[in-house]
Amino acid sequence: MNSVRLAVSWLTVLPITGPATVDRRAAGHAIALAPLVGLLLGGLAAAAMRLSVAAGLTTLLAGLLTVGLLALLTRGMHLDGLADTADGLGSYGPPERARQIMKSGGAGPFGVAALIFAIAIQAVAFAALADEGRWLAIALAVTLGRVAVVLACRRGIQAAPDSGFGTLVTGTQPLAPVLIWSALATGWSVFAVPGNLWLGPLVTVAVLAVSVLITRHSVRRFGGLSGDVLGAAVEITVSFAAVGFSLAG
């Protein structure tokens, strides 16, 4: 239960307090449960979309409000990580300079552009899924963002220097949770796109592969994994997954 509380307190704004002290073992257990938190957030997102549309809102407005709700429920930390990572990747200096830019506290042009694209893509994709009644796909897209966190924290990845959260969680995930969550997500995705049983699994595998590639590139660029990179992995994965699930097949 401490691991559950820690995962929820880390990944949401819900008033749940984690344990007083956290070591790498506890952090690893919490990260392994991140997809369950994603399932909770995904369920809330799908419910928000369905209720908004039932109340008479256009699907696009409902999509924007749902993306805003997710940002509120997660303290906006994943969007912040996306912006910082985009600014770091957009710099041409050495890893030390890139990390300094990421820690500057402001959002540069690359970060602002990344935020605009991520919010717009998710909102429009959620709207398209709502138009087709693919509520399960909305929940799965949000959940996949947290599966990407498990993959990013797999063993063999090093933490970026001076990365507090990254140092705590990087390399904590053995092969078992990586394979289990990937398999469960792929199996669930069979039902994400009614009438196209192959589309969901194809999108899921492709999106998780892209997440791994982006994380690997970021690790090379910054000299290791950080909390910002994890946040970027979440938002990028949700965006690509939502778009993929909205395809006609």
Side-chain angles (χ1 to χ4, degrees):
M1 290 304 299
N2 280 341
S3 299
V4 174
R5 288 164 46 211
L6 182 58
V8 174
S9 66
W10 270 354
L11 299 174
T12 75
V13 74
L14 298 178
I16 296 177
T17 304
T21 59
V22 180
D23 56 15
R24 278 180 56 82
R25 182 173 180 272
H29 290 164
I31 291 298
L33 296 175
L36 293 180
V37 180
L39 180 60
L40 170 63
L41 293 171
L44 292 175
M49 283 293 298
R50 192 159 191 171
L51 290 174
S52 297
V53 173
L57 298 181
T58 65
T59 53
L60 181 56
L61 179 56
L64 284 170
L65 291 176
T66 299
V67 174
L69 174 63
L70 287 172
L72 178 64
L73 290 173
T74 58
R75 305 184 188 93
M77 57 184 176
H78 303 316
L79 289 172
D80 179 69
L82 173 64
D84 289 342
T85 300
D87 283 331
L89 291 175
S91 67
Y92 291 97
E96 295 78 8
R97 175 57 180 162
R99 294 195 300 270
Q100 184 181 7
I101 291 173
M102 294 169 67
K103 293 181 179 180
S104 64
F110 290 101
V112 172
L115 287 176
I116 292 173
F117 275 109
I119 293 172
I121 288 171
Q122 290 179 26
V124 174
F126 284 172
L129 291 171
D131 286 333
E132 297 295 327
R134 300 177 185 178
W135 313 109
L136 181 62
I138 296 174
L140 178 56
V142 177
T143 304
L144 282 175
R146 284 67 190 175
V147 175
V149 171
V150 177
L151 271 59
C153 293
R154 66 191 182 279
R155 290 178 179 171
I157 303 296
Q158 65 178 6
D162 303 322
S163 174
F165 185 75
T167 301
L168 190 61
V169 302
T170 299
T172 59
Q173 299 305 300
L175 187 59
V178 171
L179 294 179
I180 289 172
W181 283 119
S182 298
L184 288 175
T186 303
W188 180 16
S189 65
V190 170
F191 308 101
V193 185
N196 294 282
L197 299 181
W198 59 268
L199 181 58
L202 178 62
V203 169
T204 298
V205 172
V207 165
L208 291 180
V210 169
S211 173
V212 169
L213 291 175
I214 292 175
T215 302
R216 181 181 298 174
H217 174 69
S218 299
V219 168
R220 288 199 301 264
R221 182 68 181 84
F222 305 138
L225 186 70
S226 67
D228 284 333
V229 174
L230 291 176
V234 169
E235 295 298 339
I236 291 171
T237 303
V238 173
S239 299
F240 276 105
V243 170
F245 292 143
S246 69
L247 296 175

